[in-house]
Amino acid sequence: PGGVRGNLIVRQAGLEGRRTPWLVSHLDVAAPGAPQEWKGDPFKLRLEGALIHGRGGEDNHQAVVVGLLLLQALRETGIKPPLNLRLLFCPGALTGYDMNIEHLLRQKPGVFAPGDLVLLMDYGSENGSFIEVAEKTDLWFKVTVSGREGHAGSPQEAVNAFTAAAALVRELEALEAAFPAQNPLFSPPQSTFTPTLAENSSKG
């Protein structure tokens, strides 16, 4: 109600307590898109055979559930892990990284200790054999294209913002040649330049 979305940390003490593995997941989900493309409510879990349908079911609530099931198993079996265990549920990843670990580092710099192990449970293969060791960061920038309306019968009297925007998108392809460096740690290994969002146009 206050407009604040906090990070939630769940702690499980270990026998030794010298190091702490962190299992990190995020609570927000991507926008559902067009409602008519869904068979049901995108925010209501739906089972079809062995498949789970619903926004966030894979990204990233499967990681939230896995972490909680792990804690439940430890409590029910009475097993105390040799190391401390921490679950970190972040409020946002798809909507901004500055609310997550970056926020914790600013506000509570002692929450992580040297030697801690961090696993971001966000992406992998179906059988769990893939571990991603590096991820590229991103740079967002916004371009506003202005034009002047005109009648379709006399386009020479208008300034076509749509044509200008299309030309700009094509020009972005040249950036890949301007920044050709590659690093095999990443997939894909090169920098990518992709227009991802067209906001509603407005008259003014």
Side-chain angles (χ1 to χ4, degrees):
V4 176
R5 295 189 300 162
N7 290 277
L8 177 63
I9 297 176
V10 181
R11 295 178 170 89
Q12 168 67 53
L15 293 173
E16 301 175 12
R18 292 181 293 106
R19 303 182 73 186
T20 299
W22 288 82
L23 304 181
V24 181
S25 53
H26 61 84
L27 300 173
D28 64 332
V29 300
Q36 63 271 20
E37 297 297 324
W38 290 82
K39 294 181 180 179
D41 185 345
F43 294 105
K44 186 175 181 180
L45 188 67
R46 187 177 78 257
L47 294 176
E48 289 186 6
L51 299 179
I52 296 175
H53 296 269
R55 176 54 77 214
E58 193 282 325
D59 185 11
N60 188 231
H61 293 171
Q62 96 289 354
V64 175
V65 172
V66 165
L68 293 174
L69 287 176
L70 172 59
L71 281 184
Q72 181 182 7
L74 291 175
R75 301 288 172 86
E76 291 179 350
T77 59
I79 295 175
K80 196 165 187 178
L83 304 177
N84 294 326
L85 178 63
R86 301 287 186 269
L87 306 183
L88 171 57
F89 303 127
C90 299
L94 299 164
T95 55
Y97 295 102
D98 59 338
M99 295 182 291
N100 304 328
I101 293 179
E102 184 178 335
H103 173 77
L104 289 176
L105 291 173
R106 289 195 307 264
Q107 300 297 323
K108 297 191 177 295
V111 70
F112 301 104
D116 282 359
L117 309 171
V118 179
L119 176 62
L120 303 177
M121 302 192 297
D122 192 26
Y123 173 78
S125 58
E126 186 173 349
N127 63 6
S129 62
F130 175 77
I131 298 178
E132 187 179 59
V133 297
E135 187 171 285
K136 291 182 287 186
T137 187
D138 53 11
L139 171 66
W140 289 81
F141 64 91
K142 179 179 179 179
V143 177
T144 301
V145 180
S146 300
R148 185 175 66 248
E149 289 185 345
H151 195 279
S154 52
Q156 73 281 1
E157 298 179 2
V159 177
N160 194 318
F162 184 82
T163 302
L168 172 64
V169 169
R170 293 303 306 271
E171 287 294 326
L172 290 177
E173 298 175 0
L175 291 177
E176 294 196 14
F179 297 91
Q182 296 193 13
N183 188 326
L185 280 177
F186 304 117
S187 178
Q190 74 278 4
S191 297
T192 56
F193 303 89
T194 307
T196 57
L197 176 65
E199 295 184 349
N200 293 333
S201 61
S202 60
K203 300 178 180 179

